[in-house]
Amino acid sequence: MNGSHSMPIPSDIQLQIPGNLSFFAVLLIASFLLHIIFVNITIALASGAVVFEGIGMRKKSSFYDRIAQIFSYHASIHKSIAVVLGVGPLLLISVLYTQYFYSSTILIGKAWLSIIILLISAFLLLYAYKFLWDKLENKKMFHLAIGIAATLILLFVPLIFIVNVVSMLYPEKWIRANGFFHSLFYYPQIWQRYFHFILASFAGGGLYAALFYTWKMRRQKKKKPDYQEDKLDHFIRRLGVKATIWITFIQFVAGALVLFSLEREIKLLYMGGDWLSTILLISSLIATFILLLFLYMADSKDSHRAFMGALISFVIVLGLMGWMRHEVREAYLKPHIENNPRTVELPLVKAKQDN
C-alpha cells in the first residue's frame, strides 16, 4: 500500500503490461460490448419467459405459453455465449486496471466468489425450465417457480459486477468499505447504473426479438405458410418493437440519472467541459433516435433498408455507449493512475536504460 491511510492503493505488480495500452483499451471496449449484448438478451428473454408463462396460466392460453417456451429456448442458448465472451473483458480489465480492479474485488471477495455458484445454479435451473416444459405441464406452478428462481439469480449477478466496477473508481472510499451489502449503499452510482443496465437488457432483448423475427419472417415468405407459426412470429416481432421503443424512452431518464450521479467535474465533461465527451453523449442520443425511427419503419413498412438501418444504428449506439463508459472510468482513475503509475516497462530493462 502507499503511505496514505485515506488512499490505500497498492503498487502495481512488477510485470510489464504485454502490449500497447490504447490497443488493449479498444479490445476491452469491444470484448465487453460483445459480452454484454448476450447478457442483456439472456436476462430479457428469461424474464419474458416467466412473465408470459404466468400470463398463459392466468388466461389459460396455450398461445402465451408457447411464446414463453420460445423465449426460454433463446435464453438458454444466449446464456452460454455470454459466459464464454465474458472471459476476454475480465482478463483485459485485470491487466489494464490491476491495482483498482483487484482491490475492489477483494473488498467484496465473498460475493465475487459466489458468482460461480450463482451462475451454475442459474444455468441448471434454466436447463430444467427449458427441458421440463412438457413433463411439468400439469405442475405449472412448480415449473414457473423454477423459471422465476433462475431469473432472480440472473437479475442479481449483475449487481455484484456493478458494485465491483463502481468501487474501483473510488479508492478514497475503500478504507471504510465493509463488504458487498454495505457497498450497495456506500458507493454512489450503484443503483442508477443497475436500473440503467436492467432497462438496457429489456430494450436489448426487445430489439433482438424484433430483428430476429423480422429476419425470420422474411425467410418464411419463401416457404409454405404456417398460420399458427406466422401469428407467433408476428406477435413476437411487434412485441419486440414496442418494448424497445417504450423502454428506450424510459432509458433517457435512467441515463440522465446516471449522468447526474457522477462527480461534478466528471459530469461537466459531458456537458461542454470536454469536446470529446460531449460529442459522444450528443451522438449517442441522436443515434438512438435514428435507431427507433428505423425500427418503427422496419415494422410498419416491412422495409429491408429500414431493417439494415436499425441494425447498423444499433451497432453505432452500442459502440458509443461502450466508449463513453470507458471515458468515465478513465476520468475517475486518471489522477490515481498519475500518482500510482502502471508498470509499462520491465524494471530490469528500465535499469539498464538508466545506466
Side-chain angles (χ1 to χ4, degrees):
M1 298 285 181
N2 64 11
S4 172
H5 291 292
S6 60
M7 198 74 68
I9 301 174
S11 299
D12 195 13
I13 59 176
Q14 294 302 302
L15 291 175
Q16 182 185 25
I17 293 177
N20 181 271
L21 291 177
S22 298
F23 175 69
F24 277 149
V26 172
L27 278 183
L28 173 59
I29 295 170
S31 61
F32 173 76
L33 291 177
L34 283 173
H35 163 66
I36 209 66
I37 288 171
F38 291 96
V39 171
N40 289 345
I41 294 172
T42 301
I43 290 174
L45 295 182
S47 302
V50 297
V51 167
F52 276 96
E53 185 178 13
I55 293 173
M57 290 168 60
R58 186 170 177 270
K59 294 187 174 183
K60 295 180 171 54
S61 168
S62 60
F63 179 77
Y64 289 111
D65 192 71
R66 176 59 182 154
I67 292 171
Q69 189 176 22
I70 290 171
F71 283 173
S72 75
Y73 287 167
H74 283 267
S76 179
I77 293 168
H78 287 90
K79 61 122 174 69
S80 301
I81 303 173
V83 170
V84 172
L85 291 177
V87 175
L90 188 61
L91 292 175
L92 287 164
I93 198 171
S94 301
V95 170
L96 286 177
Y97 302 100
T98 306
Q99 299 145 281
Y100 309 95
F101 184 73
Y102 279 114
S103 298
S104 60
T105 300
I106 290 169
L107 290 172
I108 58 164
K110 291 180 180 178
W112 185 256
L113 291 175
S114 73
I115 289 175
I116 300 172
I117 299 172
L118 289 171
L119 287 179
I120 291 173
S121 301
F123 288 4
L124 290 174
L125 288 167
L126 276 179
Y127 281 127
Y129 186 60
K130 171 184 175 181
F131 290 112
L132 296 178
W133 204 284
D134 296 326
K135 289 185 178 181
L136 294 178
E137 187 176 357
N138 297 323
K139 298 180 180 179
K140 294 296 284 182
M141 284 300 299
F142 178 61
H143 182 259
L144 181 61
I146 294 173
I148 291 173
T151 302
L152 288 176
I153 295 173
L154 292 176
L155 290 170
F156 177 71
V157 168
L159 195 55
I160 300 176
F161 280 91
I162 288 172
V163 168
N164 201 351
V165 297
V166 169
S167 65
M168 68 178 277
L169 306 180
Y170 294 94
E172 65 275 12
K173 292 180 175 290
W174 290 347
I175 200 72
R176 293 185 179 86
N178 188 24
F180 170 74
F181 290 103
H182 173 259
S183 298
L184 287 174
F185 302 96
Y186 176 60
Y187 295 105
Q189 304 181 44
I190 298 290
W191 292 104
Q192 293 93 330
R193 285 199 183 207
Y194 178 72
F195 288 121
H196 189 265
F197 168 81
I198 294 300
L199 287 172
S201 294
F202 293 149
L207 182 62
Y208 166 78
L211 295 179
F212 179 85
Y213 280 93
T214 297
W215 169 79
K216 183 182 177 185
M217 289 173 69
R218 293 182 67 86
R219 289 191 63 189
Q220 290 293 99
K221 288 181 180 179
K222 302 177 183 178
K223 300 180 180 180
K224 185 177 179 180
D226 184 327
Y227 174 75
Q228 187 64 26
E229 186 174 355
D230 289 347
K231 182 181 177 182
L232 275 167
D233 293 348
H234 182 72
F235 180 89
I236 295 174
R237 185 181 74 167
R238 293 302 306 275
L239 176 69
V241 171
K242 290 180 180 179
T244 304
I245 291 174
W246 287 109
I247 293 172
T248 300
F249 280 122
I250 301 173
Q251 270 287 67
F252 288 124
V253 177
L257 292 175
V258 172
L259 178 62
F260 288 109
S261 70
L262 303 177
E263 298 293 329
R264 186 175 183 275
E265 59 272 19
I266 308 296
K267 176 173 57 183
L268 292 177
L269 294 177
Y270 291 87
M271 303 174 72
D274 176 73
W275 68 268
L276 175 60
S277 301
T278 304
I279 289 174
L280 285 174
L281 178 59
I282 294 173
S283 299
S284 69
L285 294 173
I286 294 172
T288 301
F289 278 113
I290 293 173
L291 166 62
L292 296 179
L293 178 61
F294 275 129
L295 192 61
Y296 175 77
M297 291 170 59
D299 178 58
S300 60
K301 298 181 181 180
D302 194 22
S303 166
H304 180 66
R305 289 185 178 180
F307 171 79
M308 293 305 299
L311 193 59
I312 293 169
S313 300
F314 170 68
V315 173
I316 293 172
V317 170
L318 197 67
L320 290 169
M321 291 294 182
W323 192 354
M324 280 196 295
R325 186 177 184 274
H326 177 73
E327 290 297 326
V328 168
R329 181 169 54 230
E330 282 288 302
Y332 267 96
L333 293 179
K334 183 179 179 180
H336 303 302
I337 292 173
E338 289 175 351
N339 293 327
N340 303 271
R342 299 180 175 106
T343 304
V344 293
E345 291 183 320
L346 286 170
L348 183 59
V349 173
K350 189 175 186 304
K352 288 181 178 180
Q353 289 175 347
D354 292 341
N355 292 332

